[in-house]
Amino acid sequence: MIRSLYLRVVLTFLAAVVLGVVIAFFVSGYLFRDSFATQLQRNLLESAKDFAATVEQTQDVRSADLQNLHWINNYYLTLYDPAKNKITYGTRQNQPDIENSVIDQVLGGRIVTQEGDPREQFVGYPFSLKGGSYALFVQVVDRREMDNFRTIALTILTITLLMGSVFVIIAARYLVKPLKSMTKATRRISKGDFNISFGSMQRSDEVGELARSFSQMAGELKQMEQMRQDFVSSVSHEIQSPLTSIAGFSKLMRVQDMEKEERDQCLEIIQKEAERLSRLSDNLLKLASLDSEHHPFVPKSYRLDEQLRRIIVSIEPIWSAKELKLQLTLPPAMVTADEDQLSQVWINLLHNAIKFTPLHGVIQVKAELLTDSVQVTVRDSGLGIAESDLPHIFERFYKTDRSREREAGGSGLGLAIVHKIVELHSGSIEVRSTIGQGTAFRVALPAPAVRKQPPAAAEQPKIKENTRISASL
């Protein structure tokens, strides 16, 4: 089996050239066969007329002038007198005998021609001498014209074959060279070197397109490798920090006698760091599941406004502890989505808003029914996010203020999870923020997921009377 693409290309082209030459040789012979036969008959007839004119001029069928004709050695001539006695001229080379019936036709004054194989062709030409009828038959002896043509044609085809083979070898090397470069580049990529380039990228043919696609793939792989390294580094850092705290305080409690208050404080720190590790692990598993093609997605129709109210009630202890004021604008709205996944979106956004909103601040939750989408906006009155941080806000492990995030117990994965879930629902999410005024996250679900005529409202969750909340239905 031939493994080299270069050798395959060369052999394929050579086979094509050889086959073309052979076919051209036989086709040309077939096409020009009739033309050769007609020309041969014309030459035979002209030779017969020339011979007859010479005989009529000399009045002697055995004249020496007949042997001096320049073409006499190229043909075999047979002359029959009225009594069918024959005289031959030239050299005989297995030419067939002339039949008596044909001789009689020519003696009768008729020109007779015989076509077919060149050695079987002849011309019977009648002429008169001294009052008697004679029959002259001219047959081919020398086939140099046809042989010369075949020799020339075969020579031309052979030269064509040789030159074509040379050009094929050169062209095949030119075609295969970029592929060899890509093979070397593949080996470099497998070793982690993504800085590759190809000279064939400027070409406008399929090879150039392949080179550009290959280079683009290498660039994307380089970016993915960088993301992988950043991800590993971030995960290592996020895991190492709580582990260091747990190990340090555990060692401190074991080697020192501590009062109960100090011990309880150490245990509280250990517990918080353990919970932080647990949340990090859960978020990593959730992201991995969302990234996979087998993550369960179970869409169903349900009341979006009721879902938001239930979540707000469930996290009431958190926002009540900071004495926050919640302003709700939740008109009835039906959506078709994975309820569990969207619950995670609202929980993460609300936790984020509560986390960065100061005491006695305000959080607004607003749902809007538009012609092509339903939008949910979660707005807080916190410190805001710098404009330079906004493009990276949904990146994994990205934190605008790492010291503040650590105090709040964040891992930098919450908004990445939100973005992924919204993306799975073919929706969009945008963020707007002003330093010192707060941040607003707006989630838009596409029109196919919206139903503006909800069924009768179910019993809505109740909120304690002493909480600071205002709602617009």
Side-chain angles (χ1 to χ4, degrees), residues 18-39:
V18 171
L19 183 62
V21 167
V22 172
I23 293 176
F25 182 78
F26 287 102
V27 169
S28 61
Y30 175 79
L31 292 177
F32 291 102
R33 181 182 59 185
D34 293 340
S35 176
F36 285 128
T38 302
Q39 183 63 37

Side-chain angles (χ1 to χ4, degrees), residues 23-159:
I23 293 176
F25 182 78
F26 287 102
V27 169
S28 61
Y30 175 79
L31 292 177
F32 291 102
R33 181 182 59 185
D34 293 340
S35 176
F36 285 128
T38 302
Q39 183 63 37
L40 182 58
Q41 287 290 318
R42 187 180 296 114
N43 293 341
L44 292 175
L45 182 59
E46 292 297 327
S47 299
K49 290 180 179 181
D50 189 19
F51 185 88
T54 303
V55 171
E56 290 176 351
Q57 183 179 359
T58 61
Q59 295 292 311
D60 183 5
V61 295
R62 299 184 182 276
S63 171
D65 293 338
L66 298 176
Q67 299 295 336
N68 294 330
L69 293 173
H70 64 87
W71 48 263
I72 195 70
N73 293 325
N74 296 336
Y75 300 99
Y76 177 66
L77 289 78
T78 306
L79 179 64
Y80 290 92
D81 61 14
K84 293 186 178 181
N85 297 316
K86 70 177 181 178
I87 302 174
T88 61
Y89 307 88
T91 304
R92 184 171 184 175
Q93 294 182 349
N94 299 323
Q95 285 79 7
D97 293 330
I98 307 300
E99 297 180 358
N100 287 329
S101 59
V102 177
I103 297 174
D104 293 337
Q105 292 180 33
V106 177
L107 289 175
R110 180 180 176 184
I111 298 177
V112 178
T113 60
Q114 172 68 41
E115 297 181 355
D117 185 86
R119 293 186 182 277
E120 297 178 356
Q121 292 188 37
F122 66 82
V123 169
Y125 184 77
F127 68 93
S128 300
L129 180 64
K130 297 178 182 181
S133 296
Y134 284 78
L136 175 63
F137 293 90
V138 183
Q139 295 172 280
V140 177
V141 172
D142 192 354
R143 298 174 59 196
R144 284 181 297 176
E145 292 184 4
M146 180 171 290
D147 291 341
N148 288 341
F149 170 79
R150 289 183 176 178
T151 301
I152 293 172
L154 187 59
T155 302
I156 293 175
L157 293 177
T158 302
I159 294 174

Side-chain angles (χ1 to χ4, degrees), residues 453-473:
Q453 297 297 331
E459 183 179 355
Q460 297 185 11
K462 297 180 180 180
I463 301 176
K464 295 179 181 179
E465 295 295 334
N466 60 349
T467 57
R468 301 181 62 193
I469 182 168
S470 63
S472 174
L473 301 180

Side-chain angles (χ1 to χ4, degrees), residues 156-205:
I156 293 175
L157 293 177
T158 302
I159 294 174
T160 302
L161 175 62
L162 294 177
M163 294 302 296
S165 301
V166 173
F167 289 139
V168 162
I169 293 174
I170 297 175
R173 183 176 295 276
Y174 174 75
L175 290 174
V176 174
K177 184 178 179 180
L179 300 181
K180 289 185 176 180
S181 299
M182 294 180 194
T183 302
K184 294 179 180 178
T186 303
R187 296 193 183 101
R188 290 172 57 186
I189 290 175
S190 65
K191 295 179 180 179
D193 182 7
F194 301 98
N195 298 316
I196 60 174
S197 61
F198 302 101
S200 55
M201 289 178 60
Q202 304 302 323
R203 294 172 53 167
S204 58
D205 55 6

